[in-house]
């Protein structure tokens, strides 16, 4: 089996066969890396009672989404509007969703967009009725492989 131009990330692969048991494995794809999906590291038939090789079942690396926070998220007033700003540096193409909440209540509409590699500034305009005080800003990042990273930070909602 060969897949070409696979976006970087970790992929859990589970083969199926109507009459045979086959071993799954975790493929960790990176630019320029060849992942061998052949025995003993990839797909192979399991005999009765045999379990997949634990070496190929290793968990994904801790940081599979290439992104980091730039500075601290902060809030500010811009004319009559109050906004929360999050800056992030993406190392790969990502889908980003920024939301600001207090308890279970959303203080502004969640903003979603696709980011290319590089530095980005995302912001949420807070609702007029949102009261001043502490809140949580959450940035959810998802790469093309479906790997996900969530960054949550405290922010202070400014007075009206």
């Amino acid at each position: 089996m060969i897949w070409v131009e696979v976006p970087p990330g970790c992929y859990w692969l589970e083969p199926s066969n109507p009459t045979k048991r086959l071993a799954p494995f975790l493929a960790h794809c990176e630019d320029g890396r060849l992942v061998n999906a052949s025995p003993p590291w990839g797909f192979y038939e399991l005999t009765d009672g045999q379990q997949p090789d634990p070496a190929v079942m290793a968990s994904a690396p801790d940081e599979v989404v290439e992104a980091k926070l730039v500075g601290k998220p902060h809030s500010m007033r811009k004319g009559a509007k109050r906004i929360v700003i999050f800056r992030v540096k993406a190392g790969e193409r990502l889908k980003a969703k920024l939301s600001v909440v207090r308890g279970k209540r959303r203080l502004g509409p969640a903003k979603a967009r696709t980011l290319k590699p590089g530095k980005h500034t995302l912001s949420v305009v807070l609702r007029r009725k949102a009261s001043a005080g502490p809140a949580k800003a959450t940035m959810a990042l998802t790469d093309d492989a479906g790997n996900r990273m969530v960054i949550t930070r405290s922010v202070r909602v400014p007075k009206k």
Side-chain angles (χ1 to χ4, degrees):
M1 297 179 158
I2 293 180
W3 294 278
V4 294
E5 298 181 22
V6 176
C10 291
Y11 299 84
W12 180 252
L13 302 170
E14 292 187 42
S16 64
N17 183 295
T19 61
K20 307 287 183 197
R21 283 182 53 234
L22 302 172
F25 78 102
L26 181 72
H28 180 194
C29 300
E30 293 180 11
D31 288 337
R33 175 183 272 181
L34 173 66
V35 175
N36 184 356
S38 302
W41 295 104
F43 297 139
Y44 58 94
E45 184 178 350
L46 297 168
T47 60
D48 289 338
Q50 181 184 10
Q51 296 300 314
D53 183 345
V56 298
M57 306 285 279
S59 59
D62 288 341
E63 291 190 28
V64 291
V65 174
E66 294 181 36
K68 67 179 183 176
L69 191 60
V70 177
K72 292 181 180 179
H74 63 280
S75 59
M76 62 184 283
R77 294 180 65 164
K78 193 171 185 180
K81 296 180 181 179
R82 296 173 297 157
I83 60 174
V84 170
I85 298 170
F86 227 96
R87 289 189 176 95
V88 67
K89 182 177 180 182
E92 61 182 313
R93 191 176 104 94
L94 299 170
K95 291 178 186 166
K97 186 174 182 180
L98 175 60
S99 61
V100 180
V101 297
R102 181 178 298 129
K104 292 184 179 183
R105 186 178 184 133
R106 191 169 286 177
L107 301 181
K111 290 282 187 156
R113 63 186 261 208
T114 300
L115 309 177
K116 293 180 180 177
K119 290 183 181 179
H120 300 276
T121 300
L122 285 91
S123 62
V124 170
V125 176
L126 301 173
R127 299 189 201 296
R128 279 188 263 157
K129 294 183 179 184
S131 60
K136 295 278 185 197
T138 301
M139 170 80 71
L141 302 164
T142 308
D143 66 10
D144 289 339
N147 301 310
R148 188 175 155 103
M149 179 169 94
V150 177
I151 303 170
T152 302
R153 296 291 187 270
S154 296
V155 293
R156 183 141 192 91
V157 174
K159 293 179 182 178
K160 296 178 186 179

